[in-house]
């Protein structure tokens, strides 16, 4: 048997060689998560012994590098289960969510090229759970929005920014008592690129030339960092082996692309996905990456991150940043923007109970861009799943009475989650098989906590009737979740209905179609491009997702809807009388 010391030494050497974060805390976490000596092995004892030492370096920025992919604690459940499929680490998930929140649809979609202030996304984490998703708006920076929304509740939280926050935000965040601040090591919130020469512009500022305001802000943030209690750092991890390919393949086969393929059998989904992915990658790279190594080194140096500028750390940093942007582009490409969107399903069943006859609470409008952005948030969460077979993500937003000056406007996060085994579980303690396993005792379904269940369990705020709550989930809610969704007071659901009306034995999707009190917005072809007559179906076709009669009925109803439904925005509440 290979001794632990023989295994640790070369593996730890590889970790240190490729790591940006060489802090003791990250090494302890790496040893604890790497599974040295097996589940009951000595790795945890070594980590516990190291953690007991008084030596630590709280101000050192960087990342930890796990020896292998482990189920090392999620945002909603902290199952420690080394599963068969790669998945996102917590740090990379929070970082990707912050980058995606920076891209939250705004009324003014493009940044002002003449402003030095860059839009920023922010994820607030408490005890490993996402409790806030924010972004910059017309008046407020993301950090300022977090102060107003969370206040003193930020104490002990970890904050993940898509850019290093400016000194004005940083001083308030430090004062609130956060425990950790992580930021994406690109152009900071107060840009170090000259106005008009930002990364998305064709012109470039010469290396070493930054504005006076940016230089003063850099000095102030460095002083705040060196004199603060929170751990201010850059937390990036290399992707688990095979994760990039796994994200690419599962995004190509997402329920949303599958629905498009079912509706249009001749559609070249490979070409569609590749085109979407390439388009997103170009746009995200222009915004989130620094094009030239010289300019990147100069920005890192001004931010006090000189240790990242030496090789091989610098090349590793740029490589890891590029990989995360590629993952983000692939996840976004799994929900294409061509001729499809989330459209309200109309009901024709005359027999309804009094409770179900009243229309759902009414919101003003949510654009297709906004709905798509929220479903991609859920798709990102799904790659943190603890389920060994299928990842599902869910996000719940509430529409508050008054619009804030941050980028999400009326929307405020209620909760989010993904499917996983109960908190504290080990992978080998529960069955992992699906319906293909004939022995029902070896199936997973009685043990997995669903994404919707985690999102409802770990709510950050109560669901109120006057604040209509909207659930975005990557797969059709099952019969186990439908009563919870209805009982919680969810007003609207955005999802794909690919599994609707299916009964798989231990899990079924029969109740979703009967929901009447909740507004259902399902992924389908936009009414403006629905053909005049439905395409012919093969006689007796009962394929996996055919449901020809049901889809034909839906298309006819949608074509009878008011022309206002053909606009880029949609009603989140009941359809008005004129459009019935």
């Amino acid at each position: 048997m290979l001794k632990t010391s023989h295994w640790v030494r070369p593996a730890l050497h590889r970790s240190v060689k490729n790591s940006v974060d060489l802090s003791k805390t990250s090494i302890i976490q790496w040893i604890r998560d790497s599974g040295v000596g097996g589940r009951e092995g000595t790795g945890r004892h070594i980590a516990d012994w190291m953690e007991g030492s008084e030596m630590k370096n709280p101000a050192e920025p960087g990342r930890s590098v796990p020896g292998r992919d482990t189920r090392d604690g999620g945002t909603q459940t902290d199952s420690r289960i080394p599963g068969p499929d790669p998945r996102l680490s917590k740090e990379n998930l929070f970082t990707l969510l912050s980058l995606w929140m920076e891209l939250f649809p705004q009324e003014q979609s493009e940044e002002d090229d003449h402003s030095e202030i860059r839009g920023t996304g922010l994820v607030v984490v408490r005890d490993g759970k996402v409790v806030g998703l924010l972004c910059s708006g017309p008046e407020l920076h993301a950090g300022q929005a977090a102060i107003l929304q969370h206040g003193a509740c930020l104490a002990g939280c970890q904050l993940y920014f898509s850019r290093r926050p400016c000194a004005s935000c940083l001083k308030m965040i430090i004062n609130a008592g956060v425990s950790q601040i992580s930021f994406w090591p690109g152009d900071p919130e107060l840009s170090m690129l000259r106005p008009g020469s930002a990364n998305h512009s064709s012109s470039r500022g010469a290396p070493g030339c930054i504005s006076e305001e940016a230089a003063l802000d850099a000095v102030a943030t460095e002083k705040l960092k060196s004199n603060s209690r929170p751990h201010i750092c850059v937390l990036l991890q290399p992707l688990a082996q095979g994760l990039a390919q796994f994200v690419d393949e599962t995004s190509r086969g997402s329920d949303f692309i599958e629905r498009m393929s079912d509706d249009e059998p001749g559609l070249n989904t490979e070409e569609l996905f590749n085109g979407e992915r390439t388009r997103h990658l170009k746009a995200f790279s222009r915004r989130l990456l620094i094009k030239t190594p010289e300019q990147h080194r100069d920005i890192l140096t001004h931010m006090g991150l000189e240790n990242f500028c030496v090789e091989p750390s610098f090349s590793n940093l740029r490589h890891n940043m590029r990989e995360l942007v590629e993952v983000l582009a692939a996840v976004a490409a799994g929900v294409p923007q061509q001729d499809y969107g989330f459209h309200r399903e109309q009901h024709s069943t005359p027999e309804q109970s009094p409770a179900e006859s009243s229309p759902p609470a009414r919101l003003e409008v949510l654009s297709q861009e906004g709905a798509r952005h929220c479903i991609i948030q859920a798709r990102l969460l799904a790659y943190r799943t603890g389920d060994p077979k299928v990842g599902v993500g869910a996000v719940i937003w509430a529409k508050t009475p008054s619009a804030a000056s941050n980028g999400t406007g009326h929307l405020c996060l209620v909760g989010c989650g993904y499917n996983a085994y109960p908190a504290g579980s080990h992978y080998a303690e529960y069955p992992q098989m699906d319906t293909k396993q004939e022995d029902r005792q070896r199936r997973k379904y009685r043990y997995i906590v669903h994404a919707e269940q985690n999102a409802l369990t770990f709510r950050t705020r109560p669901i109120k009737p006057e604040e209509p709550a909207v659930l975005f989930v990557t797969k059709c809610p099952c019969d186990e979740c439908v009563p919870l969704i209805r009982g919680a007071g969810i007003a609207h659901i955005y999802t794909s209905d690919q599994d609707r009306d299916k009964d798989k034995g231990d899990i079924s999707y029969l109740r979703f179609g009967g929901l009447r009190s909740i507004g259902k917005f399902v992924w389908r072809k936009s009414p403006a491009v629905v053909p005049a007559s439905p395409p012919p179906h093969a006689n007796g076709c009962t394929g996996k997702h055919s449901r020809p009669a049901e889809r034909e009925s839906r298309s006819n109803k949608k074509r009878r809807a008011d022309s206002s439904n053909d606009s880029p925005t949609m009603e989140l509440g009941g359809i008005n009388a004129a459009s019935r």
Side-chain angles (χ1 to χ4, degrees):
M1 180 180 293
L2 192 62
K3 292 184 178 180
T4 300
S5 59
H6 293 164
W7 187 90
V8 170
R9 206 173 291 122
L12 184 59
H13 173 73
R14 289 193 301 271
S15 175
V16 170
K17 180 179 179 182
N18 297 323
S19 177
V20 175
D21 182 5
L22 303 183
S23 67
K24 183 179 178 185
T25 302
S26 66
I27 295 175
I28 290 173
Q29 188 62 46
W30 176 83
I31 293 176
R32 188 186 304 280
D33 291 344
S34 62
V36 176
R39 196 184 67 169
E40 300 297 330
T42 58
R44 285 178 293 166
H45 299 295
I46 295 173
D48 291 341
W49 171 77
M50 292 181 67
E51 201 167 28
S53 172
E54 294 182 355
M55 294 176 59
K56 66 178 182 177
N57 182 10
E60 185 175 3
R63 55 175 177 151
S64 60
V65 180
R68 63 171 180 162
D69 177 50
T70 58
R71 305 301 200 212
D72 58 346
T75 59
Q76 309 304 327
T77 58
D78 58 356
S79 312
R80 289 182 174 275
I81 47 177
D85 290 327
R87 71 169 188 168
L88 284 172
S89 67
K90 289 184 294 185
E91 290 77 10
N92 284 348
L93 170 64
F94 302 149
T95 298
L96 283 169
L97 282 172
S98 73
L99 297 178
W100 186 238
M101 284 306 298
E102 177 175 321
L103 301 169
F104 197 92
Q106 305 281 334
E107 291 183 4
Q108 296 178 347
S109 58
E110 297 295 328
E111 284 185 338
D112 183 0
D113 289 350
H114 301 288
S115 173
E116 288 184 283
I117 303 298
R118 304 294 300 269
T120 304
L122 170 59
V123 177
V124 182
V125 177
R126 183 187 300 118
D127 299 327
K129 304 172 181 66
V130 176
V131 297
L133 294 173
L134 305 114
C135 60
S136 303
E139 296 181 8
L140 294 177
H141 296 188
Q144 294 170 331
I147 291 291
L148 293 180
Q149 189 169 124
H150 297 275
C153 293
L154 287 174
C157 289
Q158 299 82 46
L159 273 57
Y160 290 77
F161 283 90
S162 65
R163 301 181 185 275
R164 190 200 64 184
C166 66
S168 297
C169 293
L170 190 59
K171 65 183 180 184
M172 290 191 292
I173 293 166
I174 292 172
N175 189 56
V178 302
S179 64
Q180 178 179 280
I181 301 168
S182 174
F183 59 89
W184 179 256
D187 192 27
E189 185 173 40
L190 185 51
S191 177
M192 291 188 181
L193 302 171
R194 281 187 169 183
S197 64
N199 216 34
H200 56 269
S201 175
S202 58
S203 58
R204 299 283 176 184
C209 296
I210 66 172
S211 69
E212 182 181 4
E213 285 299 317
L216 290 172
D217 187 77
V219 172
T221 52
E222 185 62 25
K223 188 174 290 293
L224 286 165
K225 173 185 171 183
S226 61
N227 290 284
S228 68
R229 288 172 294 178
H231 180 38
I232 303 176
C233 58
V234 172
L235 291 177
L236 289 182
Q237 292 185 340
L239 296 179
Q241 185 176 4
L243 178 59
Q245 181 180 356
F246 177 72
V247 171
D248 189 86
E249 291 175 353
T250 51
S251 295
R252 290 175 189 273
S254 72
D255 278 9
F256 306 98
I257 291 182
E258 189 175 333
R259 174 63 186 263
M260 298 170 73
S261 178
D262 287 348
D263 290 348
E264 304 176 53
L267 179 66
N268 188 333
T269 56
E270 287 293 309
E271 182 179 323
L272 171 66
F273 177 84
N274 290 336
E276 288 283 293
R277 185 182 182 278
T278 299
R279 181 174 62 84
H280 287 308
L281 184 57
K282 289 180 179 179
F284 297 168
S285 297
R286 283 196 302 268
R287 178 158 186 151
L288 302 172
L289 300 177
I290 307 298
K291 185 174 183 180
T292 66
E294 295 78 13
Q295 198 169 39
H296 199 180
R297 277 197 176 94
D298 187 54
I299 288 175
L300 292 173
T301 301
H302 279 93
M303 290 196 295
L305 302 176
E306 296 90 344
N307 55 327
F308 287 169
C309 297
V310 296
E311 295 293 353
S313 295
F314 181 69
S315 295
N316 289 338
L317 178 70
R318 286 179 61 84
H319 174 74
N320 293 338
M321 292 173 69
R322 175 75 181 184
E323 276 195 329
L324 282 179
V325 170
E326 289 174 349
V327 165
L328 186 61
V331 173
V335 190
Q337 291 179 299
Q338 296 187 8
D339 299 337
Y340 273 70
F342 294 93
H343 299 283
R344 182 178 174 85
E345 184 177 284
Q346 300 184 44
H347 310 298
S348 58
T349 304
E351 298 84 6
Q352 295 181 6
S353 65
E356 291 187 332
S357 60
S358 58
R362 184 183 181 90
L363 292 179
E364 292 178 357
V365 290
L366 180 66
S367 68
Q368 290 288 354
E369 271 191 323
R372 183 176 170 277
H373 191 281
C374 293
I375 209 73
I376 291 172
Q377 297 165 14
R379 290 208 71 231
L380 286 169
L381 286 160
Y383 286 105
R384 182 66 188 157
T385 180
D387 189 316
K389 299 293 182 181
V390 179
V392 182
V395 182
I396 304 173
W397 290 88
K399 197 264 189 178
T400 55
S402 59
S405 297
N406 61 61
T408 59
H410 287 273
L411 294 179
C412 184
L413 182 71
V414 173
C416 60
Y418 50 82
N419 54 336
Y421 289 103
S425 303
H426 290 280
Y427 179 70
E429 291 176 346
Y430 293 116
Q432 298 100 45
M433 305 304 291
D434 57 16
T435 53
K436 295 178 182 178
Q437 170 58 244
E438 293 184 2
D439 184 356
R440 295 182 65 187
Q441 291 187 4
R442 298 179 62 188
R443 294 178 183 176
K444 63 185 179 179
Y445 300 105
R446 289 172 174 82
Y447 309 99
I448 289 288
V449 182
H450 298 187
E452 303 96 315
Q453 295 167 356
N454 268 321
L456 290 169
T457 300
F458 298 103
R459 297 190 303 274
T460 63
R461 56 188 289 132
I463 296 176
K464 304 175 183 178
E466 65 272 18
E467 297 179 355
V470 189
L471 168 66
F472 299 86
V473 59
T474 57
K475 292 187 77 70
C476 179
C478 70
D479 291 354
E480 185 178 329
C481 291
V482 165
L484 294 171
I485 293 169
R486 181 159 39 200
I490 297 294
H492 309 282
I493 300 175
Y494 283 72
T495 188
S496 165
D497 64 346
Q498 283 296 88
D499 288 326
R500 177 204 289 261
D501 300 332
K502 293 182 181 179
D503 187 350
K504 300 182 180 180
D506 288 307
I507 187 168
S508 56
Y509 304 87
L510 305 177
R511 293 187 176 184
F512 179 76
L515 275 175
R516 296 292 182 269
S517 58
I518 296 177
K520 293 180 291 186
F521 291 82
V522 297
W523 179 257
R524 61 174 55 157
K525 178 168 284 192
S526 300
V529 295
V530 170
S533 59
H537 294 279
N539 185 29
C541 175
T542 55
K544 181 178 179 183
H545 303 297
S546 58
R547 304 193 302 274
E550 182 184 2
R551 286 186 179 167
E552 180 178 349
S553 174
R554 289 185 209 161
S555 297
N556 290 337
K557 291 171 193 167
K558 184 57 66 176
R559 288 195 298 272
R560 290 197 302 266
D562 185 80
S563 59
S564 62
N565 286 340
D566 296 346
S567 64
T569 60
M570 63 199 134
E571 296 278 347
L572 284 185
I575 304 297
N576 59 34
S579 62
R580 284 192 183 277

